[in-house]
Amino acid sequence: MRAAACYNGPMGIVHNSLHDEVAATLREEIFSGTLAPGSFIDEAALCERLSISRTPLREALKVLTAEGLLRHEPRRGCFVAEVTQKDLDEIFPVIALLEGRCAWEAARKASDAELDALEALHDKLARHARAKRINEYYATNYAIHEAIIMLADNRWLAQVIGDLRKILKLARLQQLHAPGRLEQSLSEHLAVFAALKARDSDGAEAAMRTHLNRQREALRAVAAQQKAKLIS
């Protein structure tokens, strides 16, 4: 595994540290489910698989633990974090407020060209919804949220939301499997975009809050369905 490189303006190339690359690899494996919630992080196996030593791996594990994607248990090691219903109940009202504010600011700051680009993403979202392509829908949905956060142009909002979104990413995809949720989600996104295009800050904020609060409702419904299957 080689250290990644990234461009840093006209001054040239800055090399990311190996532990950052390892953290990025493990982060994606957590998000994809390759490393399942609750699973033990086998350091020896990971070192062999990634062809790295223990030092960069342990530094990467510290990063992911700080992000809340792993939990460390003394004398036992690291485990992939599991998002509880209590976590979701606490996080969703907060992120609804924060992303609602992003939509409010984006409605005021976005250029016509930026809104055109956002409209193209919504067209793509609608195509995925019609075809029932849940994974592709989720990826585009995620990109739309990221775009609106960027359009808000508020680094403090972006920083706090980014931390919370890493945790929610462990559970958010599940809500799209709730009956009718895909169509409902698309309708909510179109409502947000309509308000953005109309430069209606208050409307965009309200629509974004509604969208996120309904995501929580959908996750609650999925959890209830899963519990019912276990009981039956």
Side-chain angles (χ1 to χ4, degrees):
M1 189 174 226
R2 296 180 303 168
C6 64
Y7 286 95
N8 187 27
M11 299 302 292
I13 296 176
V14 174
H15 289 276
N16 293 331
S17 64
L18 180 57
H19 84 261
D20 286 335
E21 185 180 355
V22 174
T25 297
L26 296 180
R27 191 182 292 115
E28 285 308 308
E29 291 190 1
I30 290 169
F31 290 153
S32 69
T34 302
L35 292 173
S39 62
F40 173 67
I41 299 297
D42 186 331
E43 293 187 17
L46 278 175
C47 286
E48 183 176 355
R49 176 159 68 87
L50 301 178
S51 300
I52 56 173
S53 68
R54 286 287 179 102
T55 299
L57 176 62
R58 286 180 173 169
E59 289 302 311
L61 297 182
K62 288 179 185 177
V63 170
L64 298 178
T65 299
E67 291 178 0
L69 298 179
L70 298 178
R71 72 175 192 277
H72 179 263
E73 296 185 9
R75 296 181 296 279
R76 293 192 66 202
C78 286
F79 297 80
V80 179
E82 297 173 272
V83 181
T84 67
Q85 293 301 309
K86 184 175 184 292
D87 291 330
L88 297 177
D89 284 339
E90 292 174 347
I91 292 172
F92 265 100
V94 176
I95 203 163
L97 286 170
L98 296 172
E99 288 206 47
R101 179 65 187 188
C102 279
W104 189 91
E105 295 197 14
R108 294 180 168 231
K109 297 176 181 177
S111 68
D112 290 343
E114 287 169 334
L115 288 176
D116 286 343
L118 194 58
E119 186 167 19
L121 278 176
H122 280 83
D123 290 342
K124 186 177 179 181
L125 191 74
R127 291 196 297 273
H128 290 320
R130 286 194 296 269
K132 308 292 185 186
R133 293 189 292 259
I134 290 180
N135 289 334
E136 291 83 354
Y137 181 96
Y138 177 79
T140 305
N141 170 46
Y142 197 85
I144 287 171
H145 281 268
E146 286 286 294
I148 293 172
I149 292 165
M150 291 294 293
L151 293 177
D153 193 26
N154 183 322
R155 69 187 179 97
W156 301 108
L157 271 175
Q159 180 177 313
V160 178
I161 291 169
D163 289 341
L164 292 176
R165 292 187 90 205
K166 286 173 185 172
I167 304 302
L168 288 183
K169 198 171 180 180
L170 296 173
R172 250 179 177 175
L173 181 60
Q174 299 171 17
Q175 52 98 11
L176 294 174
H177 291 278
R181 178 57 193 156
L182 198 60
E183 295 77 13
Q184 184 187 53
S185 173
L186 176 62
S187 176
E188 292 159 11
H189 262 292
L190 294 177
V192 173
F193 180 69
L196 289 172
K197 198 168 184 179
R199 307 291 182 178
D200 177 3
S201 295
D202 291 339
E205 180 176 24
M208 182 62 81
R209 286 192 187 186
T210 295
H211 173 55
L212 287 160
N213 286 326
R214 286 182 179 167
Q215 281 188 16
R216 176 65 192 110
E217 292 169 9
L219 281 170
R220 193 175 287 113
V222 169
Q225 289 173 349
Q226 291 173 341
K227 186 176 181 180
K229 286 180 181 178
L230 290 173
I231 294 173
S232 61

